[in-house]
Amino acid sequence: MAPAFTREQVVTIASLANLELKPEELDLFAKQLGDILAYAAEVQRIDTTGVPPTAAVVTRHVSDRADTIGPCLDRDLALANAPDGSEDAGMFRVPRVIG
Amino acid sequence: MRPLASDLTVRGIRESLRSRSRSAVDVCRDALARIGALDPSLRAFNTVAADRALARARDIDDHPDLWRDAPLAGVPIALKDNICTRGVRTTASSRILDTFVPPYDATVVDRLEAAGAVLVGKTNCDEFAMGSSNENSAYGPVHNPWALDRIPGGSSGGSAAAVAAGLVPLALGSDTGGSIRQPAALCGVVGLKPTYGRVSRYGLLAFGSSLDQIGPLTRTVADAALALGLMAGADAADATSAPEPVSDYTAALTGDIRGVRIGIPRALLEGVDPEVGRAVAAAFDVLASRGAVLVDVDLPHAKHAIAVYYLVATAEASSNLARYDGVRYGFRAPAAGSDGTLKTMYARTRAQGFGAEVKRRIMLGTYVLSAGYYDAYYLKAQQVRTLILRDYDRAFERVDVVAMPTSPTPPFKLGEKTDDPLQMYLSDIFTISANLGGVCGVSIPCGFTSAAKPLPIGLQIIGKPFGEETILKIAHAYEQTTEWHKRKPAFTA
């Protein structure tokens, strides 16, 4: 039996996912995520004894390239899209991290 | 309003340019005029790069010696708005990237422009390619050119609608669970998802990194083969791009499919819309009449593909989309900086920047990866993914390709499924397993519904890894025998 989602669980997941949800979103997501997981839980009924997981289907890789420095993104260009970039300092400005 | 070419194809445009009956600027102006006239009803474009396109077309006209033999010289193209274009806004149809102007081009953009393509704009899509109806766009839904009150499919709905309406003869999409093939089917055009690794993903905004592939949407199989040949091949910038040699896909279109073995997973086809079922059955008969051998195959785990997908793809998405946090690019929630901590800024930016479906998938992915649930959901889904892969391996021991509908239904009405995400997910039943298996697939027009406004139906052909030549050859042979691909939506005349 798949778990129904509680509002508290949704709050925990939202915090892990860095999403500030509104009260009405918490209720809606509790129901919708519960429905989706109840469906997805069908995988748990399949016998996978001894079956290895597949994370990716790449069989062969392009050979490693030489470990040399190539052209890279210009610093001003890298900062150009930042909502609060400091081109003089060459940094991204963010709110204080330590309370 | 002038059509881009009498048959609206890349080949048709190239012929008119080679014979000098028109210039690249003429063709570009016609494409822009069509977009100007039709796109207000379709909403297929997020951004039209008119000045850039005209400058590029002029450059091609001014240097005929340089461009005469380039396969796409002067051909207007559109790119799904999750493919990075240097200097042209790339939003993924998300508020969080509303102002993002990439400082580099995706590899596919480099390769198509080197072949002479003229980029006219960026197409609307579901936000971060998450959706099956194009209704999850921050800029509003795309409308189906065959019936404006219906969905074009998704997530590459803008690219499919743009090709179907004759705005461009070639558009690129990305396909994580069917996002090229399903809108191609619902808009009556050709859509190709290459084998995982066949086309570089460098510059594609990542959604599900083990599933995503870029591919073409066109009016003919020949145009899709041409575009694939230009884009395919290893790329030092994408470690998952494959070193396998690139075939001459155009040369593979011989029309001869005698003896080709086509597998039909009959058990999977139960429950499809009756009109879709009839059209696809008739398509199987056409393929048999050309000499193909129809064989029943069993894909016993394919019915679990949706469940596996929504565990695997959301897990990958929750990780990939963690980068959108209001620091390096895109939107930052106003005033978040002055009254809170970094964590509050992240959470508020993402809450305001992402739409509901993206939040839902990030939440689901975060949950299935979280401590205590990882084994029960994510690991288990990866094991079932192995079983789905083995189904295909086993089928491909007996047949060259597998054929089935692309979508279980014709395009539904806008708004019909937006309140029920799970019902929306179920519309991907026939496309998702090809992504989980990493194999290639193509959707081609195979009929229309009998409604007053006929709606397109698509046939899907799935091939072995790096079996693009075979699926394109079969699709082309079918296309030669039928007229479906020649129909044009009345609205675009």
Side-chain angles (χ1 to χ4, degrees):
Chain A
M1 187 60 202
F5 259 95
T6 64
R7 209 169 190 270
E8 289 63 40
Q9 275 179 300
V10 177
V11 170
T12 306
I13 301 163
S15 172
L16 288 171
N18 279 328
L19 285 168
E20 185 181 80
L21 299 184
K22 299 189 198 91
E24 62 269 26
E25 284 181 308
L26 294 174
D27 293 329
L28 183 67
F29 283 168
K31 179 181 182 317
Q32 291 178 334
L33 294 176
D35 287 351
I36 295 165
L37 268 186
Y39 174 80
E42 74 178 41
V43 297
Q44 291 164 351
R45 294 195 297 272
I46 303 163
D47 182 7
T48 53
T49 313
V51 178
T54 297
V57 289
V58 180
T59 47
R60 281 207 294 155
H61 282 284
V62 180
S63 49
D64 293 338
R65 62 181 155 81
D67 187 15
T68 51
I69 297 172
C72 59
L73 206 56
D74 175 82
R75 196 173 74 177
D76 288 347
L77 264 181
L79 285 165
N81 276 290
D84 193 3
S86 168
E87 286 181 16
D88 294 340
M91 294 180 197
F92 301 105
R93 205 178 285 116
V94 296
R96 59 193 297 171
V97 178
I98 301 164
Chain B
M1 192 167 36
R2 279 214 303 196
L4 297 180
S6 57
D7 58 356
L8 306 177
T9 64
V10 170
R11 184 167 294 186
I13 290 170
R14 284 296 301 147
E15 275 164 16
S16 65
L17 290 170
R18 256 194 222 109
S19 68
R20 305 203 179 204
S21 64
R22 289 158 92 192
S23 68
V25 167
D26 289 341
V27 172
C28 185
R29 285 217 173 95
D30 288 346
L32 294 170
R34 289 184 70 81
I35 294 168
L38 300 178
D39 204 50
S41 306
L42 291 173
R43 312 291 294 268
F45 281 84
N46 285 345
T47 302
V48 178
D51 294 343
R52 188 184 194 272
L54 281 167
R56 166 88 173 160
R58 207 166 288 125
D59 184 61
I60 287 168
D61 284 337
D62 288 348
H63 300 92
D65 294 345
L66 215 59
W67 291 109
R68 184 169 297 123
D69 298 322
L72 294 181
V75 175
I77 65 161
L79 303 173
K80 186 176 183 179
D81 208 11
N82 63 351
I83 298 172
C84 284
T85 41
R86 190 156 57 92
V88 179
R89 188 174 80 125
T90 300
T91 69
S93 292
S94 180
R95 189 165 178 236
I96 212 160
L97 286 180
D98 187 50
T99 59
F100 177 58
V101 180
Y104 63 94
D105 279 319
T107 297
V108 291
V109 178
D110 281 341
R111 291 186 180 181
L112 292 184
E113 289 199 329
V118 176
L119 170 66
V120 296
K122 306 296 292 288
T123 55
N124 198 349
C125 54
D126 283 297
E127 184 177 3
F128 285 104
M130 297 180 190
S132 309
S133 69
N134 219 122
E135 292 169 296
N136 298 328
S137 166
Y139 307 115
V142 176
H143 298 258
N144 191 312
W146 295 92
L148 294 173
D149 60 343
R150 290 183 184 262
I151 60 129
S155 66
S156 311
S159 289
V163 172
L167 308 183
V168 287
L170 164 63
L172 297 190
S174 65
D175 191 316
T176 307
S179 281
I180 291 172
R181 291 160 287 155
Q182 186 253 23
L186 301 190
C187 287
V189 299
V190 176
L192 171 68
K193 183 203 94 73
T195 305
Y196 184 79
R198 182 67 299 179
V199 173
S200 168
R201 293 182 295 116
Y202 179 70
L204 173 68
L205 301 181
F207 159 17
S209 301
S210 79
L211 306 160
D212 298 340
Q213 264 293 286
I214 296 174
L217 293 105
T218 58
R219 294 190 77 88
T220 63
V221 174
D223 282 355
L226 173 67
L228 177 65
L230 296 171
M231 294 191 291
D235 176 15
D238 174 4
T240 63
S241 67
E244 270 74 8
V246 176
S247 309
D248 185 340
Y249 301 108
T250 302
L253 310 182
T254 59
D256 182 5
I257 58 167
R258 284 172 299 175
V260 170
R261 295 172 69 82
I262 299 177
I264 299 171
R266 302 222 181 253
L268 204 58
L269 307 189
E270 284 168 22
V272 303
D273 174 274
E275 292 208 84
V276 172
R278 277 196 290 277
V280 170
F284 295 155
D285 291 343
V286 169
L287 292 169
S289 76
R290 301 273 312 206
V293 181
L294 306 183
V295 181
D296 285 358
V297 291
D298 197 14
L299 300 171
H301 298 92
K303 60 178 179 288
H304 304 301
I306 292 175
V308 171
Y309 177 83
Y310 281 95
L311 298 171
V312 169
T314 57
E316 294 184 11
S318 71
S319 169
N320 274 325
L321 271 64
R323 73 191 66 179
Y324 304 106
D325 59 7
V327 175
R328 286 158 298 166
Y329 28 67
F331 168 80
R332 179 184 288 191
S338 57
D339 67 343
T341 63
L342 184 63
K343 168 100 178 158
T344 312
M345 187 279 281
Y346 288 158
R348 206 163 286 170
T349 294
R350 288 160 61 80
Q352 294 176 27
F354 290 135
E357 181 62 23
V358 172
K359 287 182 200 173
R360 213 158 20 238
R361 295 204 196 185
I362 290 173
M363 296 278 290
L364 189 57
T366 304
Y367 176 75
V368 303
L369 290 177
S370 63
Y373 301 101
Y374 181 93
D375 285 0
Y377 289 107
Y378 186 62
L379 185 65
K380 188 78 182 178
Q382 288 188 315
Q383 289 176 303
V384 180
R385 185 176 183 181
T386 304
L387 296 175
I388 292 169
L389 263 156
R390 288 179 181 170
D391 281 357
Y392 272 116
D393 287 346
R394 209 164 293 134
F396 286 139
E397 286 169 9
R398 298 177 53 220
V399 296
D400 299 299
V401 301
V402 173
M404 59 178 109
T406 310
S407 164
T409 65
F412 45 88
K413 288 220 160 115
L414 286 159
E416 198 175 312
K417 297 190 183 180
T418 39
D419 291 338
D420 191 344
L422 183 58
Q423 278 308 309
M424 187 77 90
Y425 297 171
L426 297 180
S427 60
D428 300 334
I429 178 68
F430 294 126
T431 47
I432 276 179
S433 64
N435 300 81
L436 293 170
V439 297
C440 57
V442 64
S443 178
I444 51 171
C446 76
F448 285 82
T449 63
S450 56
K453 269 191 187 167
L455 301 168
I457 296 169
L459 170 71
Q460 180 180 213
I461 302 166
I462 294 174
K464 298 173 186 176
F466 305 102
E468 281 85 354
E469 278 176 285
T470 306
I471 61 171
L472 290 168
K473 183 208 295 243
I474 296 168
H476 173 73
Y478 177 82
E479 189 183 77
Q480 282 196 317
T481 320
T482 55
E483 301 280 314
W484 309 116
H485 64 289
K486 294 182 180 165
R487 287 212 203 172
K488 293 165 192 165
F491 147 82
T492 62

